[in-house]
Amino acid sequence: MTAFSPSEATASQFLPPADSQSRISQFMKQLQDEICQGLEQVDGTGTFQEDSWERPEGGGGRSRVMREGAVFEQGGVNFSEVWGSHLPPSILAQRPEAAGHPFYATGTSMVLHPRSPYIPTVHLNYRYFEAGPVWWFGGGADLTPYYPFAEDAAHFHNTFKQACDAHHGEYYPVFKRWCDEYFYLKHRQEMRGVGGIFFDYQDGQGHLYRGPDANGPAAEYSNHIGMPTQRSWEDLFGFVQSCGRAFLPAYTPIVERRRSKEYGDRERNFQLYRRGRYVEFNLVYDRGTIFGLQTNGRTESILMSLPPLVRWEYGYQPEPKTPEAELYEIFLKPQDWANWTPDALNS
Amino acid sequence: MTAFSPSEATASQFLPPADSQSRISQFMKQLQDEICQGLEQVDGTGTFQEDSWERPEGGGGRSRVMREGAVFEQGGVNFSEVWGSHLPPSILAQRPEAAGHPFYATGTSMVLHPRSPYIPTVHLNYRYFEAGPVWWFGGGADLTPYYPFAEDAAHFHNTFKQACDAHHGEYYPVFKRWCDEYFYLKHRQEMRGVGGIFFDYQDGQGHLYRGPDANGPAAEYSNHIGMPTQRSWEDLFGFVQSCGRAFLPAYTPIVERRRSKEYGDRERNFQLYRRGRYVEFNLVYDRGTIFGLQTNGRTESILMSLPPLVRWEYGYQPEPKTPEAELYEIFLKPQDWANWTPDALNS
């Protein structure tokens, strides 16, 4: 199927190539393969089980889940490729040009819930849409630690900063701020974790930031730097490929550094409690979850991101001057992790 | 404060009395007291701890939580009374007459999570609103069993049916259907449990059913019976009082019947898994939760309904011909529980 109609595009440098859909879906599948292979290697004993599925309205996917691994209590890596007669209202509100047109969407998403409270939960999602005259890339990766290790946050951010910088010097500063804005639990007044990068509606035109908060730091920074040089479909695809491939080097060294550290009930209980925030974010705010449920997606694959075991506790507050309190005070607020040095956070 | 302005009402029999707000908030507090006392008695060892809180924009409440009781792993009973300059969009969409007017809202809500998988989770909420020319009552109670005991579902329904029938012969049939419609997880195609009663926007005028699904069984039944005799504010307040006081006799006999039944890991694991559906419902669909989060309510009190421990499992399906399968096949679909007899569900 061809959802995209070239004649409606505004300028030739903004056209996707004729084989855009097959090239991207092939990349998204490769990314799923590479990540699953890398994670099996780092886990040591766990393996991914695959379910292939079809969506009655068009398309399908392959969901891969690891359970009860040595490192990963549960992890899911999902590839999907779907199409249909119209995008759901949540997306049309942002891209009105797509109204009345069929759409094509493909992407790979992942959430890992390690067993050790010292290893952060991590999320990745890259996606591509075509609908009538418009196409765009979106995605990112973000880290959610339970215990505060600044060097882990710094390593994660720096790896993605390098991947971004190779394509455009302003990607990281804008997409880092956008990530801080997006993974925010308003009802808790907390960030979900230490962030990473996040972007959406990247079609090579306009400001880098194209999110809803016109007064936030991401919009302010994006306005401040002005319009970037126009970027072609190939430029953006190259950028997304670099980001996707930055995930394993961004995350696996953190696993290696923390996997042997012993923990007790206190740390495990805190981890289960904090996992509740992950559930709250995904069910109340997450764009991917809402898109999936609104487009009659495969519920088991969409909710694969929810943790295997979670705790809620009324009125919990961390004890002052504990690692748990440090998480709240430093790690759940926006920080300049890419420029972190052992002294930076003490000043 | 007086949010309600009598001169704007359309007919005198629809006016609340001058002391409506103090009478209702007093009742809602009494209901909280009576329920907490009754639950402490049935639990035997657990007691409720109270937090009083104030809402910066106006009003406040008292949250009561029991933890680690003999029966109740966690239970919360919350009273609140709030006011402000305007209702949130989710309510104004249903009551456009309230736009531009200040509002007053009070209510008592409760969720209990027993430790034993044989004792159902239960929820209750009664609430009252005034805003400019309009006022209304809403609420109900519903039961969420983990294991299938038809007599428990029948007892719960019959107790509320009696409370309803004392006020209007058509309350139970409409509000039972409305409950089945409301506590439904679309993305799972499952009811949350065996239901009970649910109603909203009851102001004495119009059809009994005033929910969003114009083609559902509740609307159909309500249209079929036509407009009921107009009911005064006093009539409706009396009805809500009866429903509120029906809760303890509806629920505590079920606790007594099941509390000594032994269970193992299988039943506990299934309970923790099914509790995930409670979380999904409350965060994705629940009107009270959305109202609370949209009006900058007290997050800890709003999310007190979430279970203390929860499990998610990718791709779970009950084994055929087990009690778990019976729950899915019979108890998570609408049934005529008030007319249940040991033979009725076998036919």
Side-chain angles (χ1 to χ4, degrees):
Chain A
M1 59 134 282
T2 336
F4 185 79
S5 154
S7 62
E8 298 176 68
T10 50
S12 65
Q13 72 267 38
F14 298 124
L15 286 183
D19 57 356
S20 59
Q21 297 177 3
S22 58
R23 280 176 64 197
I24 305 247
S25 68
Q26 187 185 26
F27 163 70
M28 293 291 180
K29 279 187 245 185
Q30 269 172 11
L31 184 63
Q32 185 193 34
D33 288 341
E34 286 170 21
I35 287 175
C36 288
Q37 199 179 356
L39 292 173
E40 285 183 352
Q41 206 170 336
V42 77
D43 189 86
T45 67
T47 53
F48 281 95
Q49 303 300 312
E50 179 174 300
D51 279 338
S52 289
W53 49 273
E54 287 186 11
R55 179 171 166 278
E57 295 87 349
R62 48 187 210 196
S63 296
R64 293 189 187 155
V65 182
M66 182 192 289
R67 274 184 283 201
E68 305 288 332
V71 168
F72 301 111
E73 190 173 340
Q74 186 178 296
V77 190
N78 195 34
F79 160 79
S80 68
E81 184 182 24
V82 304
W83 52 82
S85 57
H86 57 277
L87 284 164
S90 63
I91 293 188
L92 289 177
Q94 300 294 319
R95 277 293 164 274
E97 313 93 304
H101 293 281
F103 75 96
Y104 170 87
T106 185
T108 285
S109 64
M110 177 207 75
V111 174
L112 305 176
H113 293 288
R115 182 173 290 99
S116 165
Y118 292 124
I119 306 179
T121 285
V122 68
H123 162 249
L124 163 153
N125 171 252
Y126 293 101
R127 52 186 182 252
Y128 173 72
F129 285 81
E130 289 182 2
V134 288
W135 55 268
W136 69 90
F137 290 91
D142 69 291
L143 194 73
T144 306
Y146 300 95
Y147 279 86
F149 297 105
E151 62 269 41
D152 294 353
H155 170 77
F156 190 81
H157 273 269
N158 273 310
T159 310
F160 283 105
K161 181 175 186 303
Q162 277 173 38
C164 288
D165 286 354
H167 293 268
H168 197 302
E170 300 295 355
Y171 279 162
Y172 176 77
V174 176
F175 300 158
K176 187 270 185 203
R177 285 169 172 83
W178 198 345
C179 191
D180 288 344
E181 174 185 310
Y182 181 75
F183 293 101
Y184 179 70
L185 288 87
K186 189 166 171 279
H187 65 284
R188 299 287 190 181
Q189 299 184 277
E190 281 171 17
M191 284 177 50
R192 182 165 86 169
V194 298
I197 57 167
F198 178 83
F199 55 89
D200 209 352
Y201 305 118
Q202 297 297 306
D203 58 7
Q205 301 180 71
H207 285 95
L208 292 180
Y209 175 80
R210 306 180 83 172
D213 184 359
N215 300 310
E220 193 188 341
Y221 188 90
S222 181
N223 290 336
H224 162 74
I225 59 171
M227 300 281 192
T229 314
Q230 287 174 340
R231 297 152 293 143
S232 69
W233 186 94
E234 297 289 350
D235 291 338
L236 285 166
F237 183 34
F239 164 62
V240 167
Q241 286 173 291
S242 295
C243 288
R245 297 205 159 111
F247 166 69
L248 287 171
Y251 184 65
T252 58
I254 299 171
V255 175
E256 295 301 348
R257 211 146 49 201
R258 307 296 163 204
R259 65 186 301 164
S260 306
K261 190 171 165 64
E262 294 198 8
Y263 60 88
D265 285 348
R266 166 183 168 158
E267 291 79 18
R268 176 68 170 168
N269 279 332
F270 183 64
Q271 176 199 44
L272 298 187
Y273 174 77
R274 292 293 316 171
R275 281 179 175 175
R277 299 293 206 273
Y278 223 82
V279 175
E280 292 175 21
F281 183 85
N282 284 12
L283 295 183
V284 177
Y285 301 107
D286 187 60
R287 210 171 285 191
T289 303
I290 293 166
F291 173 77
L293 297 176
Q294 283 184 344
T295 53
N296 198 18
R298 186 175 183 257
T299 296
E300 288 293 332
S301 299
I302 299 164
L303 299 183
M304 212 162 69
S305 62
L306 300 182
L309 196 64
V310 189
R311 221 168 56 79
W312 271 274
E313 180 180 326
Y314 173 78
Y316 170 82
Q317 300 261 18
E319 296 281 323
K321 300 185 183 181
T322 58
E324 293 82 3
E326 192 188 342
L327 187 90
Y328 279 74
E329 288 155 17
I330 308 284
F331 287 67
L332 302 182
K333 294 175 179 167
Q335 304 288 354
D336 184 10
W337 291 115
N339 287 311
W340 175 83
T341 58
D343 292 334
L345 295 179
N346 299 326
S347 61
Chain B
M1 59 132 281
T2 337
F4 184 79
S5 154
S7 62
E8 298 176 70
T10 50
S12 65
Q13 72 267 38
F14 298 123
L15 285 183
D19 57 356
S20 59
Q21 297 176 4
S22 58
R23 281 176 65 197
I24 305 247
S25 67
Q26 188 185 25
F27 163 71
M28 293 292 180
K29 279 187 244 186
Q30 270 172 11
L31 183 64
Q32 185 192 35
D33 288 341
E34 286 171 20
I35 286 174
C36 287
Q37 199 179 356
L39 292 174
E40 286 184 351
Q41 207 169 334
V42 77
D43 189 86
T45 67
T47 54
F48 282 95
Q49 304 299 312
E50 180 175 299
D51 279 337
S52 289
W53 48 274
E54 288 186 12
R55 180 171 164 277
E57 296 86 348
R62 48 187 211 196
S63 297
R64 293 188 187 156
V65 182
M66 182 192 288
R67 275 185 283 200
E68 305 289 332
V71 169
F72 301 110
E73 190 173 341
Q74 185 177 296
V77 190
N78 194 34
F79 160 79
S80 69
E81 184 180 23
V82 303
W83 52 83
S85 58
H86 56 277
L87 284 164
S90 63
I91 293 188
L92 288 176
Q94 300 294 319
R95 278 293 163 275
E97 313 93 304
H101 293 281
F103 75 97
Y104 170 88
T106 185
T108 285
S109 64
M110 178 207 74
V111 174
L112 304 177
H113 293 288
R115 182 172 291 98
S116 166
Y118 291 124
I119 306 179
T121 283
V122 67
H123 162 251
L124 162 153
N125 171 251
Y126 295 101
R127 53 186 181 252
Y128 173 72
F129 284 82
E130 289 182 2
V134 287
W135 56 268
W136 69 89
F137 291 90
D142 69 291
L143 193 74
T144 305
Y146 300 96
Y147 279 86
F149 297 105
E151 62 269 40
D152 294 352
H155 169 76
F156 190 82
H157 273 269
N158 273 310
T159 309
F160 283 105
K161 182 176 187 303
Q162 277 174 38
C164 288
D165 286 354
H167 293 267
H168 199 301
E170 300 294 355
Y171 279 163
Y172 176 78
V174 176
F175 298 158
K176 187 271 184 202
R177 284 170 172 82
W178 198 343
C179 190
D180 287 344
E181 174 185 310
Y182 182 75
F183 292 101
Y184 179 71
L185 288 87
K186 188 165 171 280
H187 65 284
R188 298 287 190 179
Q189 299 183 277
E190 281 172 17
M191 284 177 51
R192 182 165 88 170
V194 298
I197 57 167
F198 178 83
F199 54 90
D200 209 351
Y201 305 119
Q202 297 297 306
D203 59 8
Q205 301 179 71
H207 286 95
L208 293 180
Y209 176 80
R210 306 180 82 173
D213 185 359
N215 300 310
E220 194 187 341
Y221 188 89
S222 181
N223 289 336
H224 161 73
I225 59 171
M227 300 281 193
T229 313
Q230 286 173 341
R231 297 152 294 142
S232 69
W233 186 95
E234 296 290 350
D235 290 339
L236 286 166
F237 184 33
F239 164 62
V240 168
Q241 287 173 290
S242 295
C243 289
R245 296 204 159 112
F247 166 69
L248 287 172
Y251 184 64
T252 58
I254 298 171
V255 175
E256 296 300 348
R257 211 147 48 202
R258 307 297 162 204
R259 65 186 301 162
S260 306
K261 190 171 164 65
E262 294 197 8
Y263 61 87
D265 286 348
R266 166 183 169 159
E267 293 79 17
R268 176 68 170 168
N269 279 333
F270 184 63
Q271 177 200 43
L272 298 187
Y273 174 76
R274 291 293 317 170
R275 280 179 175 175
R277 299 293 207 272
Y278 223 82
V279 176
E280 292 176 22
F281 182 84
N282 284 12
L283 295 183
V284 176
Y285 301 107
D286 187 60
R287 209 172 285 192
T289 303
I290 293 166
F291 173 77
L293 297 176
Q294 283 185 342
T295 53
N296 198 18
R298 185 174 184 259
T299 297
E300 287 294 332
S301 300
I302 299 164
L303 299 184
M304 213 162 68
S305 62
L306 301 181
L309 196 63
V310 188
R311 221 167 56 79
W312 271 275
E313 180 180 328
Y314 173 80
Y316 170 83
Q317 300 260 20
E319 296 281 321
K321 300 187 183 179
T322 58
E324 293 82 3
E326 192 188 343
L327 186 90
Y328 280 73
E329 288 156 17
I330 308 284
F331 286 69
L332 301 182
K333 295 175 179 166
Q335 304 288 353
D336 185 9
W337 291 114
N339 287 311
W340 174 83
T341 57
D343 291 335
L345 296 179
N346 299 327
S347 62

